[in-house]
Amino acid sequence: MADRKKLIVEAAAKSFSEFGYKATTMDHVARRAGVGKGTIYTFFKNKEELLQYIMESLIAEMKHSAEEAIDERYSFPENVHHVLYQLLEFRFKHQLAIKLYEEVNLGTPEVVDALHHVEESILNYISQYIGEAVQKRDIYPCDPKLTAFIMCELPSTYQPYGLIEVGASRVIPSNDRKLTELTLLFQEFCYL
């Protein structure tokens, strides 16, 4: 039974990668997996749940990729740079991620929600890494979540439009002075 679930997940991931979420049907996934359409529903209640399951796997792959970039011989700034770069590389090379980021422009709510979940997972991962660095006194005390947000959003450091681009209605700190100070601190911190 686990083999059929794996076939379904692989077929759906390939279909989402090729055609996008919106254009992929459960009939298409069933044909590609070589199972009956009803078999899909024994594992997933709908296409959205199937997408969410696949996105959890994608997030796990991204975290694994980021963790491989960490080398204890390097400083925190060097490691965080490697982690962020690895996350960018993953996003730009992983066919499913590429297709889903393209589909965001169509405004498909399920894709927007799924990629928002990816965004939150990236921020939480980076935030945890920053929190550990603060505890080890590798960096100055800071708000790990806000610092992670700045690191992922700081356009001039990593790419023209930032690491995270989904979810235009983000919560940005209301204290602009604090955000500016943290951005400047981060820039100094990165270029030590």
Side-chain angles (χ1 to χ4, degrees):
M1 186 166 275
D3 289 338
R4 286 191 291 173
K5 183 176 182 178
K6 183 179 177 188
L7 287 172
I8 292 165
V9 169
E10 289 173 356
K14 286 178 184 174
S15 293
F16 294 154
S17 296
E18 290 176 23
F19 309 112
Y21 174 81
K22 197 170 193 171
T24 297
T25 65
M26 293 300 249
D27 286 324
H28 186 110
V29 173
R31 278 194 305 277
R32 191 171 214 159
V35 300
K37 185 175 171 182
T39 304
I40 296 174
Y41 293 106
T42 61
F43 299 105
F44 305 98
K45 70 179 180 184
N46 55 33
K47 187 167 79 167
E48 186 176 356
E49 187 176 281
L50 179 55
L51 176 65
Q52 290 169 352
Y53 184 87
I54 291 168
M55 296 310 287
E56 288 301 324
S57 296
L58 182 80
I59 290 166
E61 286 180 55
M62 289 179 81
K63 286 180 181 177
H64 178 74
S65 178
E67 286 167 0
E68 286 184 337
I70 297 172
D71 186 334
E72 296 301 321
R73 296 174 296 173
Y74 295 122
S75 68
F76 176 80
E78 291 170 311
N79 274 324
V80 81
H81 176 76
H82 294 151
V83 165
L84 292 174
Y85 182 80
Q86 196 66 27
L87 290 170
L88 278 173
E89 282 289 306
F90 185 92
R91 190 178 108 189
F92 289 127
K93 289 183 178 179
H94 196 282
Q95 197 60 38
L96 176 60
I98 292 167
K99 190 66 169 180
L100 293 176
Y101 276 101
E102 288 173 359
E103 194 165 339
V104 165
N105 295 329
L106 300 175
T108 308
E110 298 85 356
V111 173
V112 171
D113 290 346
L115 290 177
H116 182 72
H117 177 64
V118 170
E119 173 183 315
E120 284 299 312
S121 296
I122 291 170
L123 288 174
N124 288 336
Y125 176 80
I126 300 292
S127 177
Q128 180 182 358
Y129 186 59
I130 292 167
E132 291 169 7
V134 168
Q135 286 182 334
K136 292 179 190 175
R137 298 177 188 238
D138 289 341
I139 62 172
Y140 294 111
C142 62
D143 177 338
K145 188 80 171 178
L146 182 59
T147 305
F149 178 85
I150 292 169
M151 293 169 92
C152 291
E153 287 294 327
L154 198 60
S156 62
T157 304
Y158 293 102
Q159 67 178 21
Y161 45 90
L163 175 64
I164 306 293
E165 64 183 37
V166 178
S169 60
R170 291 182 240 288
V171 177
I172 297 176
S174 59
N175 185 341
D176 289 342
R177 195 177 117 248
K178 183 175 182 181
L179 183 61
T180 301
E181 288 173 8
L182 285 171
T183 302
L184 292 172
L185 279 173
F186 174 69
Q187 287 174 328
E188 287 176 22
F189 159 83
C190 281
Y191 300 108
L192 292 177

